[in-house]
Amino acid sequence: MDRLALHQSGLAITPAPNLSIGAVVDGRDRPTGPVKVSFNAESGNQGVTIRRLEGDFRIQLEHLILTVDENDESATVTGQSGGAASTLHVPKGRTLTGISIPFDENVDLWLDEDATLRNFSGRCRIDKAAGATIEAAQGESFQYVGVRSGRPDTGDRVRGLTLRGVHIEPGREGRSRLVELTEVRVLEPAINLKTYPDQWRRPFRSIDSLRKRAKNDPDKEKAVDDLLDCTYFYQELDTLIADKCGSGAIRSRTAWNRARAQHLRSRRTERWMYGLFRLVGYGQRPIPPLLAWIGLALAATLAAIGLGADVSPTPGEFATLWLYLLFTPFVVLRLAAETQAPNTDLFIGLDPLQRQLILPMQVLVLAAFLFLLAAIRNYMRSSLPRLLGRRI
């Protein structure tokens, strides 16, 4: 069949075995939403091939394999619950854009080598996708739920796969998903903290303390176990993407969550150290150390004025002293007026002991600045040199 024009929505088609259609077209005069069409197989493993989809479609499959070569608009693919799953097949070298599979649909993905799904969304369960590419739209994500059950060669079915914008539910199941993805070529996960347990972002409660509070409460004990699985999930994810992710921003975000996981599992003394480390973003996020750098310099300025520094209340002189303390790293802690050029001592009015009281705050300003440099480096670094060996 060369062309199938659909002039109304909701048609059900029982295809002949191995039916091939040149183009399926939305033939409605006034389209309102996607045109709905269902393909119902009479027997298992039946296939339908569509060379081109022209229009916005919602396609329902019943226990068959749908092969699509190309499309010009978005398409949603659904399946039948129960029984054998249906399959969306993308041939070698072909690209489909805007495909969506709702989360509760029984549809698998079969992508030949060099096949691509762009702007993909929804549920991603893979039958086979070795050497293929699956990408979410910019700023969006799709959820990876694993390789089709019953497949003994899981690693081979995703070997060389590129996944960008993939969300993996954290926890015990998520850890199993990471094991499946050890042979992928590129893995750029989407980090969505809204899916994490409530305790994930609370800085002053460890897993040990939560477990003590949850004693003899099965629901709370399960919640603590889930949180523990989340910590190991991020530790394993950070290790997995070390040579599979070229985005410095993603790697920085993942490293922050790994540090957060270690913070949650730490003991009391170590935990206080992690608590202070968290104030500067665990050395992974630029904004916390930037705010700490500015805030500590401001606090040192106020302390110097409080100790009696001869600074007039004008904004100009206050800003001069603040900038001096802010850029302490560049003046190498010039604390003594004797080592400075004439008329450049900004601590006039302070005796030597008072000057030494400013020293610890200047050291903290310097530390915050160094953390800022480290965070910028971690945030901007790229794994591209490692990925070049994986034919990017």
Side-chain angles (χ1 to χ4, degrees):
M1 181 183 298
D2 291 334
R3 182 181 178 88
L4 175 61
L6 303 176
H7 297 284
Q8 63 183 21
S9 186
L11 293 178
I13 300 173
T14 302
N18 300 318
L19 173 65
S20 178
I21 305 173
V24 176
V25 181
D26 183 358
R28 297 174 298 172
D29 294 331
R30 297 180 179 179
T32 55
V35 58
K36 299 178 182 179
V37 58
S38 63
F39 292 94
N40 306 315
E42 292 182 337
S43 60
N45 297 322
Q46 188 168 327
V48 173
T49 299
I50 299 175
R51 301 301 177 191
R52 180 177 176 81
L53 286 171
E54 298 180 8
D56 184 9
F57 290 88
R58 185 177 180 89
I59 302 174
Q60 181 175 337
L61 308 177
E62 183 174 349
H63 308 157
L64 56 72
I65 300 172
L66 174 65
T67 300
V68 180
D69 283 358
E70 60 180 316
N71 67 319
D72 61 2
E73 290 188 42
S74 61
T76 299
V77 181
T78 64
Q80 293 287 335
S81 60
S86 294
T87 303
L88 174 64
H89 174 220
V90 184
K92 179 180 176 66
R94 297 294 186 175
T95 298
L96 298 184
T97 302
I99 300 296
S100 175
I101 298 177
F103 290 102
D104 56 349
E105 299 297 336
N106 195 17
V107 178
D108 297 334
L109 293 175
W110 171 14
L111 279 69
D112 290 339
E113 187 177 5
D114 295 327
T116 301
L117 282 179
R118 287 205 178 101
N119 298 344
F120 178 73
S121 62
R123 178 178 183 267
C124 175
R125 187 175 67 191
I126 292 174
D127 185 334
K128 182 180 179 182
T133 299
I134 305 176
E135 300 176 345
Q138 185 70 27
E140 302 294 333
S141 65
F142 59 89
Q143 184 166 343
Y144 174 74
V145 297
V147 175
R148 184 174 177 179
S149 61
R151 301 301 192 191
D153 51 346
T154 297
D156 292 336
R157 289 183 171 272
V158 295
R159 189 182 304 277
L161 172 64
T162 294
L163 292 171
R164 292 191 172 97
V166 55
H167 172 68
I168 303 171
E169 196 73 17
R172 187 170 302 176
E173 288 298 320
R175 296 176 68 187
S176 299
R177 302 289 80 80
L178 294 181
V179 173
E180 296 173 356
L181 298 176
T182 54
E183 297 297 328
V184 302
R185 182 171 70 96
V186 176
L187 179 63
E188 295 184 358
I191 311 302
N192 182 7
L193 293 180
K194 294 180 180 179
T195 64
Y196 282 58
D198 292 338
Q199 299 290 346
W200 183 258
R201 297 184 66 85
R202 296 183 184 178
F204 299 115
R205 293 208 180 154
S206 67
I207 287 179
D208 286 344
S209 65
L210 291 172
R211 195 177 296 281
K212 290 177 182 177
R213 290 169 177 263
K215 191 174 182 180
N216 299 323
D217 188 329
D219 291 337
K220 290 184 178 180
E221 288 179 345
K222 183 180 183 305
V224 174
D225 289 338
D226 291 342
L227 182 62
L228 183 61
D229 278 321
C230 281
T231 67
Y232 286 114
F233 169 83
Y234 251 112
Q235 179 176 319
E236 293 162 9
L237 177 62
D238 187 52
T239 301
L240 179 61
I241 70 171
D243 62 347
K244 300 180 186 297
C245 178
S247 169
I250 293 175
R251 294 193 62 194
S252 175
R253 205 173 302 130
T254 305
W256 185 94
N257 279 284
R258 177 170 186 160
R260 180 74 183 104
Q262 293 169 331
H263 188 176
L264 282 166
R265 296 199 306 266
S266 59
R267 302 294 180 178
R268 180 172 297 178
T269 303
E270 184 184 7
R271 182 165 183 74
W272 282 107
M273 296 176 63
Y274 269 111
L276 294 174
F277 196 29
R278 187 178 191 272
L279 297 177
V280 287
Y282 298 119
Q284 300 295 335
R285 290 183 174 181
I287 297 301
L290 174 63
L291 295 178
W293 179 43
I294 294 172
L296 287 170
L298 180 60
T301 302
L302 295 174
I305 294 174
L307 289 171
D310 188 11
V311 177
S312 67
T314 62
E317 290 200 19
F318 181 89
T320 299
L321 179 58
W322 174 67
L323 289 173
Y324 175 83
L325 291 169
L326 183 68
F327 291 101
T328 283
F330 299 108
V331 296
V332 198
L333 298 177
R334 294 191 306 174
L335 305 177
E338 292 79 9
T339 65
Q340 301 181 33
N343 303 320
T344 62
D345 184 9
L346 297 179
F347 292 141
I348 295 175
L350 299 183
D351 59 37
L353 179 59
Q354 290 173 325
R355 291 170 184 266
Q356 294 305 313
L357 293 176
I358 305 297
L359 175 60
M361 301 198 73
Q362 289 190 284
V363 172
L364 291 176
V365 171
L366 175 61
F369 179 76
L370 294 177
F371 274 115
L372 174 61
L373 294 182
I376 292 175
R377 181 251 181 197
N378 290 334
Y379 189 82
M380 298 300 295
R381 71 184 177 182
S382 170
S383 299
L384 185 59
R386 297 181 184 181
L387 289 172
L388 286 175
R390 295 177 175 264
R391 62 185 178 87
I392 277 189

